[in-house]
Amino acid sequence: MCSVSTVEHVELEPKKELFREQCYTIRGQVQDKHHSVKPWTEIDVHINLFVVVPAGYTREDEKERNHEVKYPTALGVGGAVHKDRYSVLADLQVYEHGWISAYVLVPKEYQAIVYFFDERRGASLLRSACKLLLQTYPVEGGKLHLFGGSNGAMSSFQLMQTKPDWVASLHAFGGSIDASIDENGEIAPPFEVPPVGIPMFLHMGTTDNVELKGSWIDKMAYVGKQLANADYKPAARLTWYTGHGHSDVCDASTSGLLAKPALLRELEEGRKGANELN
């Protein structure tokens, strides 16, 4: 089981007048198994959490926990191919719109080990990052808007299912639930519709991993069916991109698949839906 030991904080030099950054290093242990013949072993790792606050944000906003100013806050979680901050969220530059944005980064040496959707391999590290954000910053509604791509989308689904009270909205690109599909086409474990209404915006390409049995396409279609059957409220929108594959959707902003205005509207729609529930 993954565990967390320490959190370190570093104040970074401002890069622009529009925002300033803070960096946290979260240290812990995960389990790894390189080959099936080897037993699971515990390994010391660390991840980084970058937090970008908008202009006008001050330390007093953190100290005054009941301060009347609350900031909508988005967390980006990328996949194995995302070496830097998750692009779909980073490209939105939400700090220009009064948002706090945060990014979880896995150092290169741990990218083959740490997977936030796996309880053995880092799920509690992601939960610690979320808990840090919620305890340190004046987060609107006390909930985070999750932006996940590829494995990061799987991790966001997993977090939503284990900590629904922490999630304001879910925006998943090119990744679905962490599950397997048996020979009868049954999903295990099944997707459980969250007990509280969480706005969901799910994006998937029709050629994503089509060669794999039990691909993300199958799993996302299953999730969409479950949400439709539950008459899920508020918004739960699944968008299919015909002829597009994994990377196109995971990096929807840089690939040109989705324009910045459309993504900002989606984010604000998620914020509105979450605020109506609080």
Side-chain angles (χ1 to χ4, degrees):
M1 185 69 67
C2 168
S3 62
V4 176
S5 55
T6 60
V7 176
E8 302 163 6
H9 171 247
V10 176
E11 184 84 20
L12 301 180
E13 290 295 322
K15 292 185 177 180
K16 294 183 179 180
E17 294 180 357
L18 290 173
F19 65 84
R20 65 183 178 85
E21 298 179 309
Q22 296 170 307
C23 176
Y24 301 84
T25 298
I26 300 173
R27 300 185 183 278
Q29 297 79 40
V30 300
Q31 293 185 12
D32 185 35
K33 188 176 183 181
H34 291 289
H35 304 286
S36 59
V37 296
K38 292 185 178 180
W40 287 93
T41 56
E42 197 166 82
I43 298 174
D44 292 326
V45 301
H46 71 272
I47 63 170
N48 296 318
L49 175 68
F50 286 89
V51 183
V52 184
V53 295
Y57 181 95
T58 69
R59 280 293 189 186
E60 294 304 313
D61 291 327
E62 294 172 19
K63 295 176 182 177
E64 298 287 342
R65 294 304 300 156
N66 296 318
H67 197 281
E68 63 180 13
V69 177
K70 300 291 185 182
Y71 294 84
T73 303
L75 175 64
V77 188
V81 299
H82 299 108
K83 310 304 181 186
D84 203 345
R85 305 171 196 205
Y86 181 44
S87 59
V88 174
L89 177 58
D91 290 345
L92 292 182
Q93 298 175 312
V94 293
Y95 53 81
E96 294 182 352
H97 303 272
W99 284 62
I100 294 173
S101 55
Y103 309 88
V104 177
L105 294 183
V106 180
K108 183 177 180 180
E109 60 267 33
Y110 304 130
Q111 287 176 353
I113 301 173
V114 175
Y115 293 97
F116 295 127
F117 59 82
D118 189 323
E119 285 296 335
R120 288 178 181 262
R121 293 183 165 181
S124 66
L125 288 169
L126 179 59
R127 288 195 292 269
S128 290
C130 293
K131 188 175 182 180
L132 186 154
L133 283 170
L134 294 170
Q135 291 182 341
T136 305
Y137 295 88
V139 175
E140 182 180 73
K143 299 181 179 181
L144 304 169
H145 299 267
L146 302 180
F147 265 68
S150 190
N151 285 334
M154 294 174 68
S155 302
S156 299
F157 265 105
Q158 196 267 358
L159 180 65
M160 179 186 69
Q161 292 189 270
T162 56
K163 293 290 185 181
D165 292 341
W166 291 4
V167 180
S169 67
L170 171 68
H171 308 257
F173 299 83
S176 186
I177 56 175
D178 176 29
S180 60
I181 300 179
D182 64 22
E183 58 185 14
N184 297 318
E186 298 295 326
I187 295 281
F191 171 72
E192 296 182 6
V193 176
V196 295
I198 297 174
M200 295 187 211
F201 305 88
L202 314 177
H203 304 266
M204 181 64 66
T206 60
T207 63
D208 192 320
N209 293 334
V210 291
E211 72 282 1
L212 300 177
K213 178 178 172 57
S215 68
W216 276 330
I217 292 177
D218 299 328
K219 294 170 188 175
M220 189 67 93
Y222 170 81
V223 169
K225 183 178 179 180
Q226 293 297 102
L227 292 171
N229 289 342
D231 192 23
Y232 189 75
K233 304 294 183 184
R237 187 162 65 241
L238 170 54
T239 303
W240 294 97
Y241 298 90
T242 302
H244 289 278
H246 192 64
S247 60
D248 283 351
V249 178
C250 289
D251 297 307
S253 55
T254 54
S255 69
L257 195 60
L258 283 171
K260 181 177 177 179
L263 286 166
L264 286 172
R265 285 195 298 270
E266 177 182 302
L267 189 57
E268 285 296 339
E269 186 179 347
R271 181 189 183 190
K272 180 181 178 181
N275 286 341
E276 289 174 351
L277 291 169
N278 286 337

